[in-house]
Amino acid sequence: MSAAAVPKARYLPPKEAGSFRQVLQLYETRQYKKALKVADTILTKFPDHGETLAMKGLILCFSEKKEEGHELIKKGLRNDLTSFICWHVYGLFYRSERNFEEASKCYVHALKYAPDNTNILRDLSLLQCQMRNWEGLITSRKTILSQKPNVRQHWTGLALGYHMMKNYELAENILSKYEETLKEPPKEDYEHSELLLYKNMIIYESGNVARALEHLESIADQVTDKLSVMESRAKYLLELERLPEATVAYRKLLNRNPDNKEYFFGIERALGVQDDVEKRKTLYRALAKQYKHSDAAKSIPLSFLSGEDFRQAVKSYIVDFLTKGVPSAFVNLKPLYDDEAKVKGIEDVVLEFLKTLSHAGNGVNGVGQNGSAKEKDNSPTTYLWTIYYLAQHYSKIGQPDLACEYITKAIEHTPTLVEVHMAKAKILKRKGDHVAASEAMTRARELDLQDRFVNTKAAKYLMRAGKSDEAVSVVSLFTKNDAHGKGVGDLHEMQALWFLTEQGEMFNRLGKIGLALKRFDAVKKIYDDWWGDQFDFHQYCVRRGTMRAYLGLLRWEETLYTENFYTRAAFDAIQTYISLYDTPKSARVAAELEGLTEEERKKAMRKAKRERAKQNKHSESEKIGGTDDDPLGKNMENTSTPLEDAEQFWKPVAACATWDQSWTWGEEIAKRKEQEAARVKLDTADKTT
């Protein structure tokens, strides 16, 4: 823009214009102090220069002076409403606040005054990815591509937009046109290899499997990820019902990794034996001989065998584990516990094996009447792991007394083994005795003070027993602690969801509503951070060419708020807020004082005041560190908008179409909001009358 065309309010003499360009460069290199000094020199002569004010405000925002910076940005924009720089800066401010919708509006305004500005178009396209505005992304990427057609990421960015709109033909054509621009395809280039595999993914998702296979065969030599080629080829051959070739492909994959269950299922379908038990049995017998160290070849048949065949197979499988002393034997067999017949078969096999260990001799060391011992099966550890398994077995099927009997024997046999004490704690927890369970888990922890996993379990069980201070002390053994020796703040920094969720649920049970809501809100903020953190990958993954991994990220983020930790925290928070709405604090206090004399009321209120003071003092150790104005959650507990606060937890789950249970929560909130609206309307009518 020529000097004559520059608005008077925006014009700067050459010297100051050079200084302004220097401000931009210093901002880009994050030299904020120097940038502020240069901006101030401009503003001393031109205090109303909008672009300089906006840039100074943006720099202050990144210098932890957000309020002052925000005001300067708004002032700069008011002084020059037609400046694309001011609008772009305002968009950057909103983006830093993760207010992506407002940031997008600012970028659109900026493009009105600079429609070909590549930086603004790029920033807008990243926001459109974040907001899943694929139509807008296509428009932005087309403009960028027309400006710089020699950059690969602009082609893949446009292809991504068409792909997410399920316009597979155009997405494929975009990538094909890019390949045509290459004089010679690069060899052994990872980024180009990923681009080819991404194109193959698009062809496959379009439904044309035959062409996807043909394309895969043509690019196989250029692809560095050989495993992906092998897996995709086997899958395509299977879907095209080219079964002999699919069988060979899956056998090659099994030779590479005989512990991948998907390869075994693939070879079943390729051989057409997935519905024939006898043929499957023959197949897995051969595979078990071929891959002797593969657990999958031995465990998969347990899912389809029955009767005596199952009994023999599970006997061979489980006895091998017990004699080797594998602690995870029960975990491996737990998926079978949905079938009652198999549960009975497992129980009979293990009890029969136990009799061979303790038959007519010492039940502890397994020595027979004649003084001889079977070398491996009759070792003391075999007996220990067998009764350990039985304890877990009976706990799982709901027979806690028998489980306690066996785990007690295991502890008497080897009192220094951590696993048996942990199993006892789990058995007691299932019985509902959380205090005894926490004591058992504490004993397990004391046997190995360097094991962080056991420490975590001990803290978790202590919280379920309502022992708040003890739980914090235990978990703080492995954290960076504050001045009080507590690690709650560090666990919050590390985004330890298990701790925040468990502690929130504990506070809820103890009636510490404010602290409970504080923890549930901390969980929500962590998930909000994870949703926002994907923003950094919209540019990085497209630039680096890792499109398949990027698509996996986008699809995972769509179900982010249905994860267990969030739904647990959200459900408890919603229930708590609904309870606060149904029974306001004034109503709860009135109910407690109902029927008391004036003297008794005063006495009760004085007692309540002392209890609150005591609780506040006691709760100092339960704070999450930082500069929080409401560390004990009193503002949350005394909120005047409980339904709106509950809705904030519900909306992210409701946006995930894969989780239907959320609508039950939404119905409860909506029902009360309708009642509230009707009540307000009635009150207004009464006042008018």
Side-chain angles (χ1 to χ4, degrees):
M1 187 181 288
S2 65
V6 175
K8 186 177 179 181
R10 192 185 309 162
Y11 174 75
L12 287 175
K15 182 180 178 182
E16 280 71 21
S19 297
F20 182 73
R21 287 192 294 272
Q22 188 182 359
V23 170
L24 296 177
Q25 292 170 357
L26 290 168
Y27 166 75
E28 291 291 339
T29 55
R30 299 185 180 183
Q31 298 181 58
Y32 299 136
K33 289 184 178 180
K34 289 183 180 179
L36 281 174
K37 287 181 180 179
V38 177
D40 285 335
T41 59
I42 299 172
L43 292 172
T44 53
K45 295 181 180 179
F46 302 92
D48 295 325
H49 188 252
E51 292 179 347
T52 306
L53 285 168
M55 281 304 303
K56 181 181 177 181
L58 183 64
I59 293 164
L60 286 172
C61 288
F62 288 102
S63 304
E64 299 182 358
K65 295 180 180 178
K66 284 189 177 180
E67 291 184 8
E68 184 184 349
H70 189 198
E71 289 301 319
L72 279 175
I73 293 171
K74 289 194 290 185
K75 183 180 177 182
L77 184 59
R78 284 194 298 267
N79 290 351
D80 195 348
L81 286 169
T82 60
S83 166
F84 74 88
I85 291 178
C86 290
W87 283 108
H88 191 191
V89 165
Y90 209 12
L92 290 172
F93 168 76
Y94 276 123
R95 193 183 79 179
S96 68
E97 294 292 298
R98 294 194 171 176
N99 188 341
F100 299 118
E101 189 173 347
E102 289 300 320
S104 180
K105 291 176 184 177
C106 292
Y107 290 155
V108 170
H109 272 291
L111 288 172
K112 288 179 182 178
Y113 308 110
D116 296 325
N117 188 292
T118 306
N119 289 333
I120 300 173
L121 284 166
R122 181 199 63 214
D123 288 347
L124 178 60
S125 69
L126 300 180
L127 285 176
Q128 288 162 338
C129 287
Q130 182 75 14
M131 299 166 66
R132 307 302 192 260
N133 179 6
W134 305 120
E135 291 182 3
L137 176 68
I138 290 170
T139 304
S140 301
R141 283 294 180 183
K142 276 183 177 178
T143 308
I144 295 172
L145 182 60
S146 65
Q147 294 175 357
K148 295 185 177 181
N150 59 332
V151 182
R152 186 194 64 234
Q153 69 186 66
H154 300 331
W155 293 88
T156 52
L158 181 56
L160 171 71
Y162 284 121
H163 184 190
M164 299 310 291
M165 290 289 291
K166 297 188 177 180
N167 192 336
Y168 302 110
E169 184 179 356
L170 273 176
E172 182 189 348
N173 288 342
I174 292 294
L175 295 179
S176 297
K177 285 181 181 178
Y178 168 70
E179 290 178 51
E180 290 171 7
T181 65
L182 300 174
K183 294 180 181 178
E184 185 178 344
K187 295 179 181 179
E188 296 296 323
D189 181 74
Y190 175 76
E191 293 180 11
H192 184 68
S193 163
E194 282 296 308
L195 179 70
L196 295 174
L197 287 173
Y198 175 52
K199 182 180 177 181
N200 187 257
M201 175 195 275
I202 292 171
I203 298 170
Y204 172 73
E205 290 186 4
S206 72
N208 195 336
V209 183
R211 201 157 61 81
L213 177 61
E214 182 183 343
H215 176 260
L216 187 70
E217 300 281 10
S218 68
I219 65 171
D221 292 339
Q222 301 176 60
V223 173
T224 57
D225 188 352
K226 301 301 181 185
L227 179 60
S228 288
V229 172
M230 293 174 70
E231 288 179 334
S232 298
R233 185 172 182 276
K235 181 171 71 172
Y236 298 165
L237 289 168
L238 189 60
E239 291 187 21
L240 292 169
E241 297 185 356
R242 291 165 58 174
L243 301 182
E245 294 173 83
T247 303
V248 173
Y250 275 111
R251 287 194 182 278
K252 287 181 180 178
L253 285 168
L254 277 175
N255 288 334
R256 187 180 179 116
N257 181 8
D259 287 311
N260 190 321
K261 289 189 176 183
E262 291 301 317
Y263 299 163
F264 285 94
F265 297 143
I267 205 168
E268 278 185 39
R269 293 192 294 272
L271 292 170
V273 302
Q274 66 271 29
D275 298 321
D276 190 320
V277 173
E278 287 301 318
K279 289 181 179 179
R280 288 180 84 187
K281 186 169 70 171
T282 304
L283 170 66
Y284 279 99
R285 189 181 297 123
L287 290 172
K289 286 181 180 177
Q290 184 176 357
Y291 305 108
K292 294 180 181 179
H293 299 293
S294 169
D295 181 73
K298 299 168 189 173
S299 63
I300 292 174
L302 300 178
S303 64
F304 63 80
L305 292 175
S306 59
E308 187 58 29
D309 288 336
F310 172 77
R311 181 184 172 87
Q312 292 302 319
V314 80
K315 181 178 180 180
S316 172
Y317 185 82
I318 198 169
V319 167
D320 184 49
F321 269 44
L322 296 176
T323 52
K324 288 178 179 177
V326 179
S328 61
F330 178 77
V331 175
N332 286 23
L333 291 172
K334 193 157 60 170
L336 303 175
Y337 275 66
D338 292 333
D339 188 323
E340 290 184 11
K342 290 184 177 180
V343 171
K344 184 67 171 66
I346 292 170
E347 183 177 329
D348 291 343
V349 164
V350 180
L351 286 173
E352 184 181 314
F353 180 62
L354 180 64
K355 287 179 183 177
T356 66
L357 299 177
S358 57
H359 175 64
N362 189 332
V364 173
N365 59 25
V367 179
Q369 284 181 328
N370 58 5
S372 64
K374 296 177 184 177
E375 294 176 3
K376 201 171 184 180
D377 290 358
N378 231 6
S379 70
T381 55
T382 303
Y383 174 79
L384 170 64
W385 293 116
T386 304
I387 57 177
Y388 172 69
Y389 183 94
L390 284 168
Q392 295 175 91
H393 166 83
Y394 284 118
S395 177
K396 176 69 176 174
I397 64 175
Q399 297 186 36
D401 293 335
L402 267 175
C404 285
E405 183 181 328
Y406 277 104
I407 203 63
T408 301
K409 288 181 181 179
I411 291 171
E412 289 172 355
H413 183 282
T414 310
T416 57
L417 184 65
V418 174
E419 282 83 353
V420 292
H421 291 281
M422 293 180 71
K424 182 180 180 180
K426 191 167 187 177
I427 292 165
L428 292 168
K429 181 199 76 172
R430 283 181 173 163
K431 283 184 70 175
D433 191 347
H434 291 290
V435 174
S438 68
E439 291 170 355
M441 193 61 79
T442 298
R443 282 194 291 274
R445 180 186 70 82
E446 289 168 350
L447 289 171
D448 189 352
L449 297 173
Q450 295 182 336
D451 192 319
R452 186 167 190 161
F453 172 74
V454 185
N455 176 276
T456 297
K457 281 286 187 182
K460 181 178 175 181
Y461 274 62
L462 286 165
M463 284 188 280
R464 291 189 176 180
K467 301 177 181 179
S468 175
D469 290 344
E470 194 175 342
V472 171
S473 297
V474 166
V475 79
S476 298
L477 295 171
F478 283 86
T479 58
K480 185 170 67 175
N481 301 331
D482 58 20
H484 302 288
K486 306 299 180 185
V488 179
D490 189 46
L491 289 165
H492 185 264
E493 289 287 326
M494 293 191 295
Q495 300 183 333
L497 290 170
W498 71 269
F499 177 81
L500 294 171
T501 308
E502 288 288 346
Q503 199 177 39
E505 291 171 347
M506 177 191 68
F507 287 143
N508 226 1
R509 291 191 296 269
L510 295 175
K512 299 179 180 181
I513 305 301
L515 281 165
L517 291 173
K518 198 71 181 173
R519 296 303 184 265
F520 299 145
D521 186 61
V523 172
K524 183 181 184 301
K525 285 178 179 175
I526 288 171
Y527 276 89
D528 290 343
D529 283 344
W530 289 354
W531 175 264
D533 286 345
Q534 67 177 302
F535 184 85
D536 297 330
F537 294 94
H538 298 317
Q539 181 176 3
Y540 175 80
C541 290
V542 177
R543 180 169 57 83
R544 298 296 296 171
T546 55
M547 297 302 294
R548 294 183 302 148
Y550 176 55
L551 278 171
L553 168 70
L554 293 180
R555 288 166 179 170
W556 173 75
E557 290 278 0
E558 294 301 319
T559 61
L560 175 65
Y561 288 96
T562 63
E563 289 196 341
N564 180 50
F565 283 119
Y566 183 79
T567 53
R568 277 172 61 186
F571 175 75
D572 284 340
I574 290 169
Q575 292 295 102
T576 303
Y577 278 122
I578 287 176
S579 176
L580 290 174
Y581 174 80
D582 291 342
T583 313
K585 188 174 182 180
S586 56
R588 294 197 300 271
V589 173
E592 290 173 3
L593 299 177
E594 188 177 356
L596 300 178
T597 64
E598 187 65 27
E599 185 62 32
E600 288 173 333
R601 285 189 178 198
K602 289 180 180 178
K603 188 176 180 181
M605 291 175 73
R606 284 197 298 270
K607 183 179 178 182
K609 188 176 180 180
R610 287 196 301 270
E611 286 294 326
R612 283 196 300 272
K614 183 179 177 182
Q615 182 178 329
N616 288 341
K617 185 177 179 181
H618 177 71
S619 298
E620 289 297 313
S621 64
E622 295 161 349
K623 291 181 182 180
I624 290 179
T627 56
D628 196 342
D629 295 332
D630 183 29
L632 301 178
K634 293 299 179 184
N635 294 341
M636 291 182 172
E637 184 178 358
N638 299 322
T639 178
S640 59
T641 57
L643 294 180
E644 287 73 11
D645 295 340
E647 204 167 31
Q648 293 304 310
F649 281 88
W650 170 71
K651 282 181 178 178
V653 189
C656 299
T658 56
W659 214 70
D660 297 332
Q661 188 181 341
S662 66
W663 294 105
T664 307
W665 306 351
E667 184 182 5
E668 291 295 320
I669 297 169
K671 185 168 62 177
R672 285 164 175 79
K673 290 187 83 170
E674 286 176 8
Q675 293 170 354
E676 178 71 16
R679 187 160 51 246
V680 170
K681 187 176 180 181
L682 185 62
D683 290 344
T684 305
D686 288 343
K687 288 176 181 178
T688 305
T689 303

